Amino acid sequence: MVRVGVIGGGQLARMMIPAAVNLGIDLRVLAEADGMSAQLAATAVGDYHDVDVVLAFAKEVDVVTFDHEHVPQDVLRALVDAGIPVHPGPDALLYAQDKLLMRQKLSDLGLPVPVWARVETEADLQAFLDANGGHAVVKTPRGGYDGKGVRVVSAAHEASDWFTVLAEHGAGDALLVEELVDFRRELAQLSARRPSGELVLWPVVESIQRDGVCAEVIAPAPGFAIRIADVAAQIATDVATGLGVTGVFAVELFETADDRLLVNELAMRPHNSGHWTQDGSTTSQFEQHLRAVLDLPLGATGCTEPHTVMVNILGGPREGALSDRYPGAMSAHPTAKIHNYGKDPRPGRKVGHVNASGTELDVVAYEARAAAAFLQD
Amino acid sequence: MVRVGVIGGGQLARMMIPAAVNLGIDLRVLAEADGMSAQLAATAVGDYHDVDVVLAFAKEVDVVTFDHEHVPQDVLRALVDAGIPVHPGPDALLYAQDKLLMRQKLSDLGLPVPVWARVETEADLQAFLDANGGHAVVKTPRGGYDGKGVRVVSAAHEASDWFTVLAEHGAGDALLVEELVDFRRELAQLSARRPSGELVLWPVVESIQRDGVCAEVIAPAPGFAIRIADVAAQIATDVATGLGVTGVFAVELFETADDRLLVNELAMRPHNSGHWTQDGSTTSQFEQHLRAVLDLPLGATGCTEPHTVMVNILGGPREGALSDRYPGAMSAHPTAKIHNYGKDPRPGRKVGHVNASGTELDVVAYEARAAAAFLQD
């Protein structure tokens, strides 16, 4: 049986299990702890920062892939040096791990990005603000400085705490600053690429964020012009080939008020903007990811129904397990497809999502939103 | 987490795993041996004929259900006596376990069945043959006498070996004999019923048998008249309520040359004729079965695409694992959904199936058949 190793035991690893069962793939997960979301497929528990732990795990599988993008480069390089196939590989993941490197690379490739700069001091940031209308988005290039790492500022001192941390890290570190894009809406282009080159794209979707967290995805993006679809496809193709991405990846895009597309973020793994594919596309992103990292031919990416809407379920104030609310939700919404991550529903935490599909977007959106609200609130 | 216990580790238990992962249900399987198809969810290995083994397993779950219908009545009764919910229950399963009891019950309920008789001797059988055109189908009421237990005969002596076995079993045993129905095609009505009464029906499908084994299912059944659909729905409803069935069940039907429907067989579990629902219906039969046995509201049973065709994959003469043939099959058939049971592909054994869906039945049928043939031959 073909063996795929996944580093990380979160919900993305969990959602690979159904695809692995269907295709007869032996999915093995290196989880951070017992009782993680992907517990059923966890064959090892350990720290993914530890080269020895990861190497021992990787030697039992045919290919290594990921639930997240946080595995350190030295660990990734050790896997490659040991001759273990890793998808996406370290050279590609570098750009998902460091937003400054990503912005530089996309600019080098001539891809459309927001105006951006690398800023080492408050003075640098203030200069950027002065040149760009007085507002900007400051980002820590790597996770770890801050829970979110993204902040909208109107004055340089609003990021002074981050500059203080930078100074403590020594010379050479910097923040990323980007123009505050006047966007009409956010879109995402989900794609998959095999090591041998085949690339497929799903229809572009609209994603709706709430408090900086993905709340809802509408697939395909309503009223999405063919011309813009071609642009999104070309961007994803250039990203994949330019950065050497393998597996499923998502390009988050801004659609600007003046009809341009700008690359916002990249994710080199199955992504929240692609959860709709589980119930709305011929091939789910999780099956496709397994096919891609195994260098198997990719599946069809069309929609099975005209519209699918995905709504996230966050942990809320209500007590009890998500499944306690199944009777009411299922009774009122028989077309809703519930995905439960098996997580403790702490407030604000993504604990599941609902997909609904059908021919009338209004009805589909209502069903998905109402079922998710019932489960959440 | 809600816990569902499944007795039997075959492919039906295996295919409940994806639904359980999606819904956050703790699925626990009592497998007959190590390495069964449902290995990933196997939490116990033991003999389902052993009351103590089954009771110990059942005490760790909220409800017990089945991968097959062979659990002895005394074991089922012991579970009920211990206060453990069992779905379907022993009173219903009795009719799936004994074809003579089933025929008698269906006749008592006034449901349309082939002309049948209980025969204890060759003379009884010959009298039935003489009265019914000289041909008939003889069946052993329970598994065990013969691998298949179904034989078409034109003379009573063709079943003499079975009568010899009957005589060895002592008085009271009998065979079932049925008229050889002049059918146009075989249909199946898949349904699900909750203990609290809710009943849902999927569209009627056509099933095509080859050498007595289901080879292909076309959903919905082509050219299926509304009147006949109503009849099939009424039959399934009468069977469910009359026999007290809970969970997913299938009624296999003959569509006769003179436009009647006759009940052929019953299956009180997810069924091969319902595998198309995994990729072609809003709710798969495996998700529905879990919902039904947990007495949760049932999901929508509509088709996500106009046509879905399911083709079984049997173990063939070719050596090697099914997955060895993925590159060719996936490359030529990107819309094919492959379901691999993780079984050793011995000749004639069901080792997987392929579903294909779409708007043109000819295309869908070609894709499913060609992909399955590639994987099988």
Side-chain angles (χ1 to χ4, degrees):
Chain A
M1 195 151 52
V2 179
R3 297 158 304 174
V4 173
V6 184
I7 299 181
Q11 66 259 32
L12 300 179
R14 179 191 181 95
M15 291 188 275
M16 293 178 200
I17 298 173
V21 168
N22 288 343
L23 289 178
I25 291 166
D26 182 5
L27 191 77
R28 300 185 181 199
V29 170
L30 171 60
E32 294 83 346
D34 277 327
M36 295 282 292
S37 192
Q39 174 73 24
L40 183 62
T43 56
V45 171
D47 182 357
Y48 61 79
H49 299 88
D50 184 328
V51 173
D52 294 335
V53 165
V54 176
L55 270 176
F57 170 75
K59 282 177 176 161
E60 302 293 320
V61 300
D62 298 311
V63 58
V64 167
T65 189
F66 309 95
D67 174 69
H68 56 72
E69 293 141 338
H70 309 316
V71 179
Q73 282 285 322
D74 64 321
V75 174
L76 298 172
R77 302 282 168 193
L79 294 176
V80 172
D81 291 346
I84 297 157
V86 178
H87 294 294
D91 291 341
L93 274 171
L94 195 58
Y95 300 108
Q97 292 175 334
D98 189 311
K99 291 176 184 174
L100 269 170
L101 289 178
M102 187 266 282
R103 279 285 175 247
Q104 186 61 55
K105 182 71 175 178
L106 296 183
S107 297
D108 292 348
L109 290 169
L111 288 164
V113 295
V115 175
W116 67 278
R118 170 191 165 93
V119 289
E120 293 189 21
T121 65
E122 284 191 39
D124 290 349
L125 176 54
Q126 193 58 53
F128 186 91
L129 283 165
D130 294 343
N132 288 279
H135 304 286
V137 184
V138 183
K139 298 180 179 178
T140 57
R142 293 166 167 271
Y145 295 140
D146 184 54
K148 301 279 183 186
V150 175
R151 194 180 293 173
V152 176
V153 301
S154 305
H157 68 80
E158 293 174 51
S160 60
D161 54 331
W162 285 356
F163 284 112
T164 303
V165 174
L166 272 192
E168 287 166 6
H169 278 235
D173 268 4
L175 298 177
L176 169 65
V177 60
E178 298 174 355
E179 65 171 319
L180 198 60
V181 175
D182 178 23
F183 64 85
R184 184 185 293 144
R185 58 180 177 168
E186 293 188 64
L187 303 171
Q189 173 67 67
L190 189 74
S191 316
R193 183 165 170 268
R194 292 170 64 183
S196 55
E198 187 191 4
L199 176 87
V200 296
L201 303 108
W202 280 271
V204 172
V205 301
E206 178 174 346
S207 70
I208 297 160
Q209 319 290 316
R210 212 164 284 141
D211 301 329
V213 176
C214 174
E216 185 173 319
V217 169
I218 304 172
F224 196 71
I226 294 292
R227 188 188 65 80
I228 299 284
D230 287 347
V231 172
Q234 191 60 53
I235 289 172
T237 303
D238 290 347
V239 165
T241 53
L243 277 59
V245 186
T246 45
V248 163
F249 65 102
V251 181
E252 295 183 82
L253 298 160
F254 293 123
E255 185 185 64
T256 65
D258 58 347
D259 272 333
R260 291 174 302 138
L261 294 183
L262 301 177
V263 177
N264 179 16
E265 303 274 359
L266 301 181
M268 294 189 193
R269 48 172 171 74
H271 187 248
N272 202 160
S273 67
H275 290 355
W276 71 275
T277 60
Q278 293 172 303
D279 299 296
S281 175
T282 300
T283 308
S284 86
Q285 65 171 346
F286 300 102
E287 175 179 338
Q288 199 79 290
H289 188 68
L290 295 178
R291 291 164 75 144
V293 302
L294 287 166
D295 204 16
L296 286 168
L298 302 177
T301 53
C303 297
T304 53
E305 301 200 63
H307 305 283
T308 298
V309 171
M310 188 284 321
V311 180
N312 278 332
I313 304 168
L314 303 184
R318 205 198 292 184
E319 291 287 312
L322 208 55
S323 58
D324 294 347
R325 307 169 201 176
Y326 282 1
M330 288 176 169
S331 174
H333 307 288
T335 64
K337 305 312 298 172
I338 299 172
H339 297 265
N340 181 337
Y341 306 158
K343 289 179 162 183
D344 187 32
R346 291 198 300 267
R349 189 184 203 196
K350 285 181 191 172
V351 295
H353 67 271
V354 172
N355 287 328
S357 302
T359 51
E360 299 297 327
L361 179 56
D362 286 355
V363 174
V364 167
Y366 171 76
E367 291 297 324
R369 288 169 193 159
F374 194 100
L375 291 164
Q376 175 170 321
D377 297 331
Chain B
M1 195 152 52
V2 181
R3 296 158 303 175
V4 174
V6 184
I7 299 181
Q11 66 259 32
L12 299 179
R14 177 192 183 95
M15 290 187 277
M16 293 177 200
I17 299 173
V21 168
N22 288 342
L23 289 178
I25 292 167
D26 182 6
L27 191 77
R28 300 184 181 199
V29 170
L30 171 60
E32 295 83 346
D34 277 326
M36 295 282 292
S37 192
Q39 174 73 23
L40 183 62
T43 56
V45 171
D47 182 357
Y48 60 79
H49 299 88
D50 184 328
V51 173
D52 294 333
V53 165
V54 176
L55 269 176
F57 170 75
K59 281 176 178 165
E60 303 294 320
V61 300
D62 298 311
V63 58
V64 167
T65 188
F66 309 95
D67 173 70
H68 57 72
E69 294 141 337
H70 308 316
V71 179
Q73 283 285 324
D74 64 322
V75 175
L76 298 171
R77 302 280 168 194
L79 293 176
V80 172
D81 291 347
I84 296 158
V86 178
H87 294 294
D91 291 342
L93 274 172
L94 194 59
Y95 301 108
Q97 293 175 334
D98 188 311
K99 291 175 184 174
L100 269 169
L101 289 177
M102 186 267 283
R103 278 286 174 244
Q104 185 62 56
K105 182 72 175 178
L106 296 183
S107 297
D108 292 348
L109 290 169
L111 288 164
V113 294
V115 176
W116 67 277
R118 171 190 164 93
V119 290
E120 293 189 23
T121 64
E122 283 193 38
D124 290 348
L125 176 54
Q126 193 58 52
F128 186 91
L129 283 166
D130 294 344
N132 288 281
H135 305 286
V137 183
V138 184
K139 297 180 179 180
T140 58
R142 292 166 168 271
Y145 295 140
D146 183 54
K148 301 281 184 185
V150 175
R151 193 181 293 173
V152 176
V153 302
S154 304
H157 68 81
E158 293 173 49
S160 61
D161 53 331
W162 285 356
F163 285 111
T164 303
V165 174
L166 272 192
E168 287 165 6
H169 278 237
D173 268 3
L175 297 178
L176 169 65
V177 61
E178 298 174 356
E179 66 172 316
L180 197 60
V181 175
D182 179 22
F183 64 84
R184 183 186 294 145
R185 56 179 179 170
E186 292 188 65
L187 303 171
Q189 173 66 67
L190 189 74
S191 315
R193 183 166 170 268
R194 292 170 63 182
S196 56
E198 186 191 3
L199 176 87
V200 296
L201 304 107
W202 280 271
V204 173
V205 301
E206 177 173 346
S207 69
I208 298 160
Q209 319 290 316
R210 212 163 285 141
D211 301 328
V213 176
C214 174
E216 186 173 319
V217 169
I218 303 172
F224 196 71
I226 294 292
R227 188 187 65 78
I228 299 284
D230 287 347
V231 173
Q234 192 58 55
I235 289 172
T237 303
D238 290 348
V239 165
T241 53
L243 278 58
V245 185
T246 45
V248 163
F249 66 103
V251 181
E252 295 183 82
L253 299 158
F254 293 124
E255 184 186 63
T256 65
D258 57 348
D259 272 332
R260 290 175 303 137
L261 293 184
L262 300 177
V263 177
N264 179 16
E265 302 275 359
L266 300 182
M268 294 188 193
R269 49 172 170 74
H271 187 248
N272 202 159
S273 67
H275 290 355
W276 70 276
T277 61
Q278 293 173 302
D279 299 296
S281 176
T282 299
T283 309
S284 86
Q285 65 170 344
F286 300 102
E287 176 180 337
Q288 199 79 291
H289 188 67
L290 295 178
R291 290 165 75 145
V293 302
L294 287 166
D295 204 17
L296 285 169
L298 301 177
T301 53
C303 297
T304 52
E305 301 200 64
H307 305 284
T308 298
V309 172
M310 189 285 318
V311 180
N312 278 332
I313 304 168
L314 304 183
R318 207 200 289 185
E319 291 287 313
L322 209 54
S323 57
D324 294 347
R325 306 169 202 177
Y326 282 1
M330 289 177 169
S331 175
H333 307 288
T335 64
K337 305 312 299 173
I338 299 171
H339 297 266
N340 181 338
Y341 306 158
K343 289 178 160 183
D344 187 33
R346 291 199 298 268
R349 190 184 202 195
K350 285 181 192 172
V351 293
H353 67 272
V354 172
N355 288 328
S357 303
T359 51
E360 299 297 327
L361 180 55
D362 285 355
V363 174
V364 167
Y366 171 77
E367 290 297 323
R369 288 169 193 159
F374 194 100
L375 291 163
Q376 175 170 321
D377 297 332

